[in-house]
Amino acid sequence: WFLLDVSRAIKPLVYQLRQKPEFTAMVSPDNEHVFKQKSFLYGVDCRDAAGYGLWQFAYGSKQPLTPANYAKARAAMMGFKDNSGKLLQVRPNLLVVGGSNEGAARKIAYGEFEAADGGMASNPWKGTAEVLVSSYLL
């Protein structure tokens, strides 16, 4: 799971679109490939790039997604400092998880209560982040 600060103009991940996608289809019976191969071809031409923005705005963890580990990640991010020792004012606000962690993420980010000392207590993490479920994560 990942915890991100996406509240600023500079993001932890950057996507640059240099040329919009242009779709091409070879479906005309007059086309030599279609005639000889008896198959249609489809393609796309696009120019883009992706890269890292500021690493301080992202935190990745392989630990189980629990309220305690979520709290550690938030504390670590909020403690990031610049070269002069000044806090960067990082405010994590997006929790990115795979389908296997969706339930735990929703309990942390949206749940009213959490289990505590054999009972229930109010959830201190409610509303601290939005949840984004990605099919690219487990």
Side-chain angles (χ1 to χ4, degrees):
W1 53 275
F2 298 91
L3 189 57
L4 308 175
D5 179 353
V6 294
S7 65
R8 301 179 189 202
I10 299 175
K11 305 294 184 207
L13 301 169
V14 178
Y15 174 74
Q16 297 173 320
L17 179 63
R18 294 173 36 208
Q19 176 186 328
K20 290 184 178 182
E22 182 179 314
F23 297 96
T24 306
M26 293 174 59
V27 295
S28 172
D30 297 335
N31 183 283
E32 183 178 346
H33 177 83
V34 173
F35 179 76
K36 288 182 177 179
Q37 301 294 325
K38 304 288 189 232
S39 66
F40 298 132
L41 292 178
Y42 298 90
V44 64
D45 183 25
C46 179
R47 301 285 188 271
D48 53 10
Y52 298 106
L54 291 180
W55 67 266
Q56 295 91 338
F57 293 164
Y59 187 96
S61 178
K62 293 183 180 180
Q63 299 296 317
L65 182 53
T66 63
N69 288 334
Y70 177 77
K72 288 178 189 175
R74 285 185 63 83
M77 288 183 74
M78 295 171 89
F80 288 150
K81 298 178 182 180
D82 65 12
N83 292 341
S84 66
K86 181 181 171 188
L87 286 174
L88 291 174
Q89 304 293 321
V90 176
R91 296 178 306 273
N93 60 354
L94 182 64
L95 181 57
V96 182
V97 298
S100 63
N101 278 328
E102 181 178 6
R106 293 193 181 282
K107 284 180 186 176
I108 291 170
Y110 306 129
E112 291 287 334
F113 300 101
E114 69 175 354
D117 299 327
M120 297 298 280
S122 65
N123 179 6
W125 307 117
K126 180 184 178 194
T128 57
E130 294 293 319
V131 174
L132 174 66
V133 180
S134 172
S135 60
Y136 293 104
L137 300 175
L138 298 176

